[in-house]
Amino acid sequence: MQTLDLALASRAPKLDDRPLAKRVGLIILATDHTTEVDFQRMVASERIGVYATRIPYANPVTPENLRAMQPSLTAGAALILPDEPLDVVMYSCTSASVVIGDAAVEAAVKAAKPTAAVVTPTAAAVSGLRAFGAKRISVLTPYTLATSRPMADYFLGLGFDIARFTCLGLTDDREMARIAPSELVAFAKEATAPDSDALFVSCTAVRAAGVAAGIEAAIGKPVVTSNLATAWACLRLCGDDRVRPALGRLMTLAYPGR
């Protein structure tokens, strides 16, 4: 056997401050099929890194099960590049953000990542709807009536007028992820009231962001989806202001929360 002498390099390598200029952390449900795929498609780039952690979640989708995730948020955020700062942390559950509350989600995340901007699907959706100047909205959710009611109250409480609110009645977020994109377009057409200013399609599990532009073409109104709104917010908070109409009209607008 050859006797091999190992040699140490004459100097230590020079290190960049970061592998990528910006860091987006995702806190996603253990059962989520969609968020990471959408963020790799819309957000990740040579400049922006997307880093995910998963937290426990048990179906069915009920207000009680959604609220049960709150104690996991701080530990989940801490697991994303431990002891390193993030530019943005996004908690990827729309209905849980409603029942836990945007402020409570932000506080839990900042306990682990104090310098990060915190994005929730609900707050991002509100920013998107307001960026369009929408006041009277239609809403489509995959949830039951009981899970949808707090969301209706959330938007009403923020001053929106709801022209039509449609629920698909599903209780398992894995089934929500399996709704065919063509079905989302069809249901979006049914869910949009003629006198509404815009349509919001809720739930980070559904693959609505991928067909947002198609829905807009079908209904003739702006569309905001959970993952489209959070991707838009994260991009803008990272200084990516590119206009990308192929992803939907929202991706042509400035982010008011920046």
Side-chain angles (χ1 to χ4, degrees), residues 224-249:
V224 175
T225 82
S226 291
N227 288 355
L228 182 64
T230 55
W232 169 68
C234 289
L235 284 166
R236 298 300 188 251
L237 287 166
C238 286
D240 187 331
D241 296 320
R242 287 176 296 161
V243 173
R244 300 162 72 187
L247 296 177
R249 296 187 206 176

Side-chain angles (χ1 to χ4, degrees), residues 18 62 75 95 98 116 138 144 160 162 199 220-221 255:
R18 291 182 172 190
T62 64
S95 49
V98 168
S138 294
T144 62
F160 290 95
I162 298 178
L199 171 69
K221 299 178 186 292
Y255 177 60

